[in-house]
């Protein structure tokens, strides 16, 4: 017997044999599993290749309806004007520094949306390109208010402010680029967008007997709309689609107003607007 095995004991040789058998058996199991995986891969590959070759036909005109939920927000740039004699500094305090952050608070909210879609796709192999227009109804109407708040410059007097932003629709026209894989179409799009907005601002205070002003401006604003989405071809030209649409309008309102009737401008107005809309659409392709 090998001197090393004699030192390690008579049972060590048997242990080596048993471990060798286990290793060999384990190797046979692993080889069997790997062989099965390879066979499965070989059998599935032609099917996958066939699916890739059988690209769906996405060319043509389509119409659809979509339902969604949007989170939208306006960021007013309303501010008080110095040098008119009404708003000023006193005792180390500033009317502008106190009031402007309140007037410029974000105005946001959530709304259900409904959209009418129409477009046309051209297709070349797995790639599609085209144009899509949609009219989205959202009914955004949100208000940001504060007061009565004591003036820092005149603590015995208070002011109250309220700003409302409204919009009923977004109309967009977006060039579209997509990629088709089997029954799926993945796409991105971006283009101009138009909407109608209304800003209403009311300000009143109790200073020197009290003053108040109400400003209102309605404006048709031009912005940009972009989207990313995926459609799934069902049958007979019907498509189920999910997308995310971002719309941004840099200038939805503007103007000025005077507070105490002295002919001097006391407020200037402006705001932007953005909307994040998640939708699910049912589309019919022709």
């Amino acid at each position: 017997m090998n001197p090393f095995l004699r030192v390690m004991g008579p049972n060590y040789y048997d242990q080596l044999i048993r471990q060798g058998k286990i290793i060999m058996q384990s190797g046979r199991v692993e080889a069997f599993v790997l062989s099965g995986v390879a066979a499965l891969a070989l059998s599935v590959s032609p099917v996958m290749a066939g699916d890739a070759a059988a690209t769906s036909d996405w060319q043509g005109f389509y119409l659809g309806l979509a339902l969604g939920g949007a989170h939208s927000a306006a960021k007013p740039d309303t501010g008080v004007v110095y040098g008119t004699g009404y708003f000023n500094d006193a005792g180390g305090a500033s009317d502008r520094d106190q009031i402007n952050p309140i007037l410029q608070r974000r105005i946001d909210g959530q709304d259900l949306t409904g959209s009418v879609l129409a477009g046309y796709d051209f297709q070349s192999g797995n790639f599609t390109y085209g144009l899509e227009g949609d009219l989205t109804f959202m009914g955004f109407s949100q208000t940001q208010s504060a007061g009565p708040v004591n003036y820092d410059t005149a603590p015995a007097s208070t002011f109250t402010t309220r700003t409302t932003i409204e919009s009923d629709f977004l109309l967009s026209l977006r060039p579209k680029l997509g990629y088709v894989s089997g029954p799926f179409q993945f796409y991105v799009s971006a283009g101009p967008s138009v909407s109608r907005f209304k800003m209403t601002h009311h300000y009143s205070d109790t200073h020197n007997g009290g003053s108040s002003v109400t400003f209102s401006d309605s404006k048709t604003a031009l912005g940009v709309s972009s989207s990313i989405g995926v459609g799934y071809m069902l049958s007979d030209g019907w498509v189920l689609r999910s997308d995310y649409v971002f719309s941004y309008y840099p200038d939805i309102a503007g103007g000025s107003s005077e507070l105490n009737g002295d002919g001097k401008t006391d407020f200037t107005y402006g705001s932007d607007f953005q909307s994040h809309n998640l939708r699910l659409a049912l589309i019919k392709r022709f």
Side-chain angles (χ1 to χ4, degrees), residues 45-56 181-183:
S45 295
V47 177
M48 294 181 65
D51 287 345
T55 302
S56 300
S181 178

Short mmCIF file of all heavy atoms in Angstrom, two decimals, residues 45-56 181-183:
data_model
loop_
_atom_site.label_atom_id
_atom_site.label_comp_id
_atom_site.label_asym_id
_atom_site.label_seq_id
_atom_site.Cartn_x
_atom_site.Cartn_y
_atom_site.Cartn_z
N SER A 45 -34.42 27.68 -31.93
CA SER A 45 -33.81 28.67 -32.82
C SER A 45 -34.55 28.84 -34.14
O SER A 45 -34.82 29.96 -34.56
CB SER A 45 -32.34 28.31 -33.08
OG SER A 45 -31.61 28.40 -31.88
N PRO A 46 -34.91 27.75 -34.82
CA PRO A 46 -35.65 27.95 -36.08
C PRO A 46 -36.98 28.64 -35.88
O PRO A 46 -37.42 29.43 -36.71
CB PRO A 46 -35.83 26.52 -36.61
CG PRO A 46 -34.77 25.72 -35.94
CD PRO A 46 -34.61 26.33 -34.59
N VAL A 47 -37.65 28.35 -34.75
CA VAL A 47 -38.94 29.01 -34.46
C VAL A 47 -38.74 30.50 -34.27
O VAL A 47 -39.49 31.33 -34.79
CB VAL A 47 -39.59 28.37 -33.22
CG1 VAL A 47 -40.88 29.10 -32.89
CG2 VAL A 47 -39.84 26.89 -33.47
N MET A 48 -37.70 30.87 -33.49
CA MET A 48 -37.42 32.28 -33.26
C MET A 48 -37.05 32.97 -34.55
O MET A 48 -37.46 34.11 -34.81
CB MET A 48 -36.29 32.43 -32.23
CG MET A 48 -36.66 31.95 -30.84
SD MET A 48 -35.32 32.16 -29.66
CE MET A 48 -35.19 33.91 -29.60
N ALA A 49 -36.26 32.30 -35.37
CA ALA A 49 -35.90 32.89 -36.66
C ALA A 49 -37.14 33.10 -37.52
O ALA A 49 -37.27 34.11 -38.21
CB ALA A 49 -34.90 31.98 -37.37
N GLY A 50 -38.07 32.13 -37.46
CA GLY A 50 -39.31 32.28 -38.22
C GLY A 50 -40.14 33.43 -37.73
O GLY A 50 -40.72 34.19 -38.51
N ASP A 51 -40.19 33.65 -36.39
CA ASP A 51 -40.94 34.77 -35.84
C ASP A 51 -40.33 36.08 -36.28
O ASP A 51 -41.05 37.05 -36.58
CB ASP A 51 -40.95 34.69 -34.31
CG ASP A 51 -41.86 33.58 -33.81
OD1 ASP A 51 -42.69 33.10 -34.62
OD2 ASP A 51 -41.74 33.19 -32.64
N ALA A 52 -39.00 36.17 -36.28
CA ALA A 52 -38.35 37.42 -36.68
C ALA A 52 -38.62 37.71 -38.14
O ALA A 52 -38.77 38.86 -38.55
CB ALA A 52 -36.84 37.31 -36.43
N ALA A 53 -38.66 36.65 -38.94
CA ALA A 53 -38.90 36.86 -40.36
C ALA A 53 -40.33 37.27 -40.64
O ALA A 53 -40.61 38.02 -41.56
CB ALA A 53 -38.56 35.59 -41.13
N ALA A 54 -41.26 36.78 -39.80
CA ALA A 54 -42.68 37.08 -40.02
C ALA A 54 -43.04 38.42 -39.38
O ALA A 54 -43.79 38.49 -38.43
CB ALA A 54 -43.54 35.96 -39.42
N THR A 55 -42.45 39.50 -39.91
CA THR A 55 -42.69 40.84 -39.38
C THR A 55 -44.10 41.30 -39.74
O THR A 55 -44.54 41.14 -40.88
CB THR A 55 -41.65 41.82 -39.96
OG1 THR A 55 -40.34 41.36 -39.63
CG2 THR A 55 -41.87 43.21 -39.40
N SER A 56 -44.78 41.89 -38.76
CA SER A 56 -46.15 42.35 -38.99
C SER A 56 -46.16 43.53 -39.96
O SER A 56 -45.19 44.28 -40.08
CB SER A 56 -46.78 42.77 -37.66
OG SER A 56 -46.80 41.69 -36.75
N SER A 181 -40.80 44.35 -34.41
CA SER A 181 -40.26 43.04 -34.07
C SER A 181 -41.43 42.10 -33.82
O SER A 181 -42.13 42.22 -32.81
CB SER A 181 -39.37 43.11 -32.82
OG SER A 181 -38.89 41.83 -32.46
N GLY A 182 -41.67 41.17 -34.78
CA GLY A 182 -42.83 40.30 -34.65
C GLY A 182 -44.11 41.11 -34.62
O GLY A 182 -44.32 41.99 -35.46
N PRO A 183 -44.97 40.89 -33.60
CA PRO A 183 -46.22 41.64 -33.52
C PRO A 183 -46.08 43.00 -32.81
O PRO A 183 -47.07 43.69 -32.61
CB PRO A 183 -47.13 40.71 -32.72
CG PRO A 183 -46.19 39.99 -31.81
CD PRO A 183 -44.91 39.80 -32.60
#
